[in-house]
Every structure is written in C-alpha cells, then in structure tokens.
Amino acid sequence: MKMTQTLYLLFISGFSSFPLGSSEFHLIKLPKTYQEAKSYCREMYTDLATVHNSTDMNMINLLSSTNTRAWIGLEIGDVWTWHWSQPGQKLDFLNWKAGEPQNNNQDACAAMDQHGKWFESGCATKRSFVCHGYSDTSGHIFVAETKSWRDAQNHCRGLSSDLVSIHAAEENEAVRNVSVSQNVWIGLFKDPWKWSDGSNSSFRHWKPNQPNYFEDQYCVSAIFIDQGRWNDRRCSDRRPFVCHGDQQPTSLPTPPNTASKLTTTKTPGLVSVTSTTEMSTAAQLTPTTTVQVTTDGVSASTTLTGTSAQSTTWPLTLKPTENTPSLPPGNLILIQENMTWIEAMSYCRKHHIDLVHIVSEDSQQKVAEKAKNATSPHVWLGLRYTCNFNFWFWTSSTADCYLNWAPGEGTEGKYDCGVTGAIQATGRQQWVGLPETEKLNFLCYACGG
C-alpha cells in the first residue's frame, strides 16, 4: 500500500491549521477584536480555541514561528470557581478548615495544614508542596523546597506530573502523611476565567505576574514568542486568533471579472495560481474550483470548495516539479544535543529555518552523511504522524513522493498519537517513528553555507 500524499497544510495567507486528536486548531491572521474573533470562529469552525493540556498548547505553538499574539477562547466570568490544577479532575471531595474558603473575589490557592485540613492562601506565598506520583501505585512526591503555588505547579509539571489533586478522605490522609507535618500546597486554585465554548478545562499557561486584570483586561491572548504563555488583554484590542473544530461549509457569491486575472494551465479546467491573492480569487470563482498552486519550487493541484477567501484548509496533493531543489550540504546543521521532537523543532525555527525534510534520494544521502556524526542512535526529522487522519507528513510547506521507511514502519506500522519521524544514525539509515518525548540529536536546515 502506498502512503497517501494528501496533507492538511498551511497556505501562506491569513491562515494555518494543525490537526490534533479530536480537535483541529486554526490560526487566523486577521486582526479582530475578541468578540469579532469569537463570532468568526463560531461561524467558520466551532469556537475560539480551548486548551485542555500542554500537548494542545504545544500544537498551537507550532502554528506560528513569529512573535504573534493571538486570542484564545478564555474570557472573564462572573463567578470565581475552584479548580484542580491537573486537567480533567472533578471537584468531588472537599476538606476545608472551619471558616474556609474565604468569601472574596480574588485569585487564590489552597494549602493543607498539618492536620490535613485545607485553607485558602495567597498564591505568592512560598511553601513546600506535594506532586502526584508517576503512577497510581507509586504514591505522592513531597518536595521540601519552598515555592510559590505557580512555581510549585511548574516544578511538578517538569516531573511530568502535577500538583496533587484529592478525591477521597483516604487520599487526603495519604497526602498529609507525606507532608511531614508542614503546611503544603495542593493543586487547588480559584479564578474567574471561563472558556468560550463552555468547556470546564482547568489548564492555565499564564506568563509570570499574569493575569493582572488592569484596564478592563478581560480576554486572553497567547504569546507565541514566549512559548505561547498567556496574557490578559483588553477585549477591544485587534489581533490574530486561534479557532478549533472542523471547518463549516459555506457558500460564497461569484465575484465579477476575477477569472481574467488567473491563468489557465495546459490541463483543461485547471487554473494556475502563484500568489495568495490569486488563491483567494480562485476560492471565490465557483462552488468547486480546481487550481494548481506553485510556490517555493513545488506545484500542488487541489479542488477548492466554496469557503472564505481569507482562510481555507486545502487537502493538497503535492507533486515536485522538475526543478525542485535538493538541500546543499552547507545548509544542514547537526545539533549534537538531545531534545524532544517539539524542543528540536522550536530550536531549529528559532535559530535556523526548520527541522530538516527529505525531498529526494539525493537529499536523503546528504542527511544520512550528516547523521553519521550524531551522538544518539536516531536523529529527528521534520516528520510527524497524525493519528486523526492516519498518515505521515512533513511539517514544512513542501513534500515529496520519496520514501525511505525501515521495514514495518510508515504505512506498514501501527502508531499511537504523538509519534514523530527520525533517521537511523548508522546502518541503512532508514526512517522510523518514535515517541516525540524521546530525546535525540536533530538536523536543522538554514539559508546559505
């Protein structure tokens, strides 16, 4: 069975998207107020983006390598609500001290005293804390070092854990027992924020000292240059935004006198476009329009269905032209540091262009030669598997029919979500799928020598 070459790609206009699990995120680069952005997302997709966990946040970060600030679907609410830090945990057990929690409308966090009773506290206070164990059987982790609640949360998440959540009296007693008679942070916090789509996600990713609620800052934007961390902003500000959900079908009228601006190819009925303006025009020609896109030396043919001219997701079947350039040796940079796939991609995009992609047998040979100097058994490539659509794709805007999978890999393999591509550093130097959390050397490509 041949690997399908149909990919969901970003076209460099006002739009990019990335499929993830049961959701799909779309960065819309059209500056709008928060309410305008919400209306747009509800009309074109499902709603402004809801972030359920750090994986969602990492995927949203991949939508932009610029310093863009973009609205997400978090907004101020009327009710201050307690949440567990660990996403998806129900508030089904409480053990407050008498007189607690306090009846006030301000951010707060919860701690446990030496008797196992909970009390409300300012989140900036430094105290010891308890993280969840690495599994249901490994108990809890007591950290004696004193930190603010948010720094304690970051510490636990750095251990691939979170601040402890408590759901029964027995678990509460177990946390008290490991806390060695100290007041400790637990993973309970209070805030007024709610998600536009009504989700109860408790995941938060604030910048330090945020939110500050200054000057009617009642809506939230993610700052891509700062790992997507969040900042509360005035809802009247105009900025790009992130939607989630499947694209809704729409119908657009045919604009007058636009077909004459486009070029007909040698294939009957196929329109050639070479710019985002022409793509927008083609998207409005008829309810269904077939176009050929040419960009960066790669041609792609696709059928557009009626949709917004400013933001469209196209299934593109990419076909390299005869002049598709291979990667010169000077453009390949081997980073002999072990990072996760997402860390490696972020590094390459910050310091160079991107993780390397392989478009031909010639570029495979050049990548293989560089990989021989790696200090890890495999080397990350810009190759990712989507479990939502069950295919592999290159994260750059180009692709190719060239494949070099090891036996049992690629379309022959069975993968979970979160799998990415690597090249064997030695031997036949074929491609394999590995969990993105593994730490490997990686190859970037850059301009010039």
Side-chain angles (χ1 to χ4, degrees), residues 43 50 67 100 121 175 204 249 272 290 332 340 348 378 417 423:
E43 177 181 355
T50 294
N67 61 354
E100 297 283 353
S121 173
V175 173
R204 303 291 186 265
S272 177
T290 301
L332 297 180
T340 67
C348 289
H378 298 88
C417 297
I423 184 173

Side-chain angles (χ1 to χ4, degrees), residues 34 47-50 71-75 194-197 220 242:
Y34 180 85
D47 211 318
L48 279 166
T50 294
W71 293 125
I72 59 173
L74 196 62
E75 59 191 57
K194 65 178 184 178
W195 293 100
S196 173
D197 67 355
V220 176
V242 182

Side-chain angles (χ1 to χ4, degrees), residues 16 26-34 37 41 48-49 51 57 60-61 63-64 66-74 195 219-225 228-233 237-243:
S16 59
H26 315 265
L27 174 62
I28 312 299
K29 298 180 182 178
L30 304 174
K32 293 182 179 291
T33 67
Y34 180 85
C41 290
L48 279 166
V51 185
M57 199 62 240
I60 290 174
N61 286 337
L63 295 175
S64 178
T66 69
N67 61 354
T68 302
R69 294 172 180 258
W71 293 125
I72 59 173
L74 196 62
W195 293 100
C219 299
V220 176
S221 65
I223 307 170
F224 289 110
I225 201 173
R229 293 196 178 276
W230 303 349
N231 189 14
D232 57 336
R233 305 292 297 177
D237 290 352
R238 291 186 171 272
R239 61 187 68 255
F241 51 98
V242 182
C243 304

Side-chain angles (χ1 to χ4, degrees), residues 120-333:
E120 182 175 327
S121 173
C123 301
T125 303
K126 292 187 177 183
R127 51 173 50 95
S128 304
F129 52 98
V130 178
C131 306
H132 279 289
Y134 296 112
S135 70
D136 293 337
T137 60
S138 63
H140 302 297
I141 303 168
F142 171 70
V143 181
E145 183 179 0
T146 60
K147 295 178 179 289
S148 68
W149 187 91
R150 192 176 292 179
D151 287 344
Q153 180 192 55
N154 290 336
H155 181 100
C156 292
R157 289 180 174 176
L159 300 174
S160 299
S161 178
D162 210 321
L163 280 168
V164 68
S165 55
I166 301 172
H167 302 282
E170 294 80 10
E171 188 173 10
N172 193 78
E173 183 65 14
V175 173
R176 188 190 71 83
N177 287 338
V178 302
S179 66
V180 294
S181 300
Q182 295 187 38
N183 291 346
V184 293
W185 286 126
I186 58 175
L188 199 59
F189 70 97
K190 179 178 67 173
D191 73 8
W193 299 97
K194 65 178 184 178
W195 293 100
S196 173
D197 67 355
S199 167
N200 62 357
S201 171
S202 65
F203 182 81
R204 303 291 186 265
H205 193 56
W206 296 108
K207 282 173 57 71
N209 303 317
Q210 295 294 330
N212 55 30
Y213 305 103
F214 290 165
E215 301 177 6
D216 300 324
Q217 294 183 352
Y218 296 151
C219 299
V220 176
S221 65
I223 307 170
F224 289 110
I225 201 173
D226 190 17
Q227 300 177 317
R229 293 196 178 276
W230 303 349
N231 189 14
D232 57 336
R233 305 292 297 177
R234 289 189 298 272
C235 303
S236 58
D237 290 352
R238 291 186 171 272
R239 61 187 68 255
F241 51 98
V242 182
C243 304
H244 78 87
D246 294 331
Q247 190 170 14
Q248 302 299 318
T250 61
S251 178
L252 290 179
T254 301
N257 302 321
T258 54
S260 61
K261 299 178 182 179
L262 304 177
T263 303
T264 302
T265 69
K266 294 180 180 178
T267 304
L270 187 64
V271 175
S272 177
V273 297
T274 58
S275 70
T276 57
T277 301
E278 291 178 354
M279 178 62 88
S280 296
T281 301
Q284 301 176 70
L285 282 176
T286 64
T288 302
T289 304
T290 301
V291 301
Q292 177 175 297
V293 183
T294 302
T295 181
D296 295 332
V298 173
S299 294
S301 63
T302 184
T303 299
L304 304 181
T305 56
T307 186
S308 168
Q310 290 85 6
S311 60
T312 309
T313 301
W314 303 292
L316 299 182
T317 303
L318 293 181
K319 298 174 291 186
T321 65
E322 294 180 0
N323 298 321
T324 299
S326 61
L327 296 172
N331 283 23
L332 297 180
I333 301 169

Side-chain angles (χ1 to χ4, degrees), residues 16-42:
S16 59
S17 72
F18 203 107
L20 175 67
S22 61
S23 182
E24 186 171 319
F25 295 111
H26 315 265
L27 174 62
I28 312 299
K29 298 180 182 178
L30 304 174
K32 293 182 179 291
T33 67
Y34 180 85
Q35 290 300 326
E36 291 170 346
K38 182 195 292 191
S39 297
Y40 181 101
C41 290
R42 288 180 173 179

Side-chain angles (χ1 to χ4, degrees), residues 323-345:
N323 298 321
T324 299
S326 61
L327 296 172
N331 283 23
L332 297 180
I333 301 169
L334 175 65
I335 308 299
Q336 293 176 312
E337 297 181 33
N338 290 334
M339 297 188 187
T340 67
W341 186 84
I342 287 177
E343 291 170 344
M345 171 173 280

Side-chain angles (χ1 to χ4, degrees), residues 334-338 371-379 425 440-441:
L334 175 65
I335 308 299
Q336 293 176 312
E337 297 181 33
N338 290 334
K372 289 178 181 178
N373 297 317
T375 58
S376 58
H378 298 88
V379 177
L440 306 174
N441 288 190

